[in-house]
């Protein structure tokens, strides 16, 4: 006959060092998501500046990715993890799905952003990314850093918020960010991605030159 459970008895979450490390890692991951949600809300409410927000957000995103590698079996997906622990953190969920700070996603433009140097750097980022696809790079850990760098420069140009290519790039960032590092895009996905990036590239130059129509 089972002994009655005492409400005063401490419940142990682990019995081995390996179990303890896993519990602590999950708790850290939980804390990172909550911290990111508070950070996002603070930024939206202008409680902190962009200069304060950006490095803090970048650090939390990096910490999240690191913790995922420690307990991959505990996080089949961000949505599943949040459901399991009854988390209500929509702002953090959006930021983690994208994988870049809001200051990059919605970068403001200034006159210096359209300088010849910036145009050259962004052009090179477009070419580098398209070349990576043509060289059959398919894995998330190969493509996501390149696309993040492209988005970082691209989004700083005047008028980029209204460019069609911006939503396409953001969409692919979300797709890649939702994959595991070793996962790869299918041939159909790569074909569509290359098509979307080439259109964004052409639109980028049309917009800067003030021309309309396909080049």
């Amino acid at each position: 006959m089972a002994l009655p459970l005492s409400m005063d008895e401490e419940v142990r979450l682990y019995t081995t060092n390996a179990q303890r490390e896993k519990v602590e890692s999950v708790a850290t991951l939980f804390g990172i998501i909550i911290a990111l949600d508070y950070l996002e809300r603070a930024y939206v409410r202008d409680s902190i500046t962009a200069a304060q927000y950006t490095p803090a957000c970048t650090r939390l995103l990096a910490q999240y990715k690191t913790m995922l590698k420690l307990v991959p079996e505990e996080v089949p997906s961000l949505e599943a993890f949040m459901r399991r622990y009854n988390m209500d953190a929509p702002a953090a969920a959006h930021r983690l799905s994208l994988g870049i700070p809001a200051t990059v996603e919605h970068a403001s433009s200034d006159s210096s952003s359209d300088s010849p140097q910036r145009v050259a750097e962004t052009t090179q980022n477009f070419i580098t990314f398209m070349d990576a696809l043509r060289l059959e790079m398919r894995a998330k850990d190969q493509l996501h850093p390149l696309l993040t760098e492209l988005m970082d420069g691209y989004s700083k140009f005047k008028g980029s918020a209204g460019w069609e290519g911006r939503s396409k790039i953001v969409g692919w960032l979300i797709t890649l960010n939702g994959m595991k590092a070793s996962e790869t895009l299918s041939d159909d996905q790569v074909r569509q991605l290359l098509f979307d990036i080439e259109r964004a590239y052409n639109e980028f130059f049309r917009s800067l030159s003030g021309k309309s129509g396909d080049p």
Side-chain angles (χ1 to χ4, degrees):
M1 181 176 179
L3 295 175
L5 177 65
S6 172
M7 299 302 292
D8 296 324
E9 182 179 352
E10 181 181 354
V11 177
R12 294 186 61 84
L13 299 177
Y14 51 82
T15 56
T16 66
N17 287 336
Q19 291 174 337
R20 176 179 60 79
E21 291 178 1
K22 180 178 291 187
V23 168
E24 290 179 350
S25 295
V26 169
T28 300
L29 191 60
F30 184 98
I32 289 171
I33 295 173
I34 295 299
L36 183 58
D37 198 69
Y38 275 103
L39 180 68
E40 289 293 305
R41 294 175 185 274
Y43 179 62
V44 169
R45 294 168 182 166
D46 288 329
S47 298
I48 58 174
T49 66
Q52 295 170 317
Y53 164 82
T54 302
C57 183
T58 301
R59 183 169 62 253
L60 286 171
L61 291 173
Q63 290 172 340
Y64 174 79
K65 293 176 182 178
T66 298
M67 295 310 301
L68 281 184
K69 296 176 183 178
L70 299 180
V71 285
E73 69 283 356
E74 297 292 323
V75 193
S77 70
L78 174 62
E79 293 78 10
F81 182 86
M82 295 179 71
R83 283 197 305 270
R84 179 177 180 182
Y85 294 102
N86 298 315
M87 301 184 71
D88 182 21
H94 172 73
R95 189 56 48 213
L96 290 168
S97 72
L98 193 56
I100 55 176
T103 44
V104 175
E105 181 187 6
H106 305 294
S108 59
S109 303
D110 54 42
S111 58
S112 63
S113 66
D114 292 1
S115 67
Q117 180 180 355
R118 175 70 69 181
V119 172
E121 290 174 351
T122 304
T123 299
Q124 185 58 55
N125 289 337
F126 267 112
I127 293 172
T128 298
F129 187 77
M130 290 188 289
D131 284 348
L133 293 176
R134 294 185 179 110
L135 291 172
E136 300 187 352
M137 291 187 184
R138 301 287 187 268
K140 178 258 184 79
D141 60 357
Q142 294 174 318
L143 297 176
H144 191 271
L146 297 177
L147 193 57
T148 298
E149 185 175 4
L150 169 58
M151 181 63 178
D152 188 16
Y154 171 93
S155 62
K156 293 176 182 176
F157 283 87
K158 291 181 291 186
S160 64
W163 296 347
E164 179 184 352
R166 186 189 187 105
S167 63
K168 297 293 185 181
I169 296 174
V170 169
W172 282 109
L173 275 171
I174 293 174
T175 297
L176 288 169
N177 199 54
M179 298 165 56
K180 295 181 180 178
S182 60
E183 287 185 316
T184 59
L185 296 176
S186 68
D187 288 344
D188 286 344
Q189 285 178 307
V190 170
R191 185 174 180 177
Q192 184 64 51
L193 174 54
L194 183 57
F195 176 80
D196 289 341
I197 295 299
E198 285 179 335
R199 284 183 63 88
Y201 178 61
N202 292 334
E203 180 189 37
F204 169 68
F205 275 102
R206 289 200 310 271
S207 300
L208 292 182
S209 63
K211 297 178 181 179
S212 60
D214 291 331

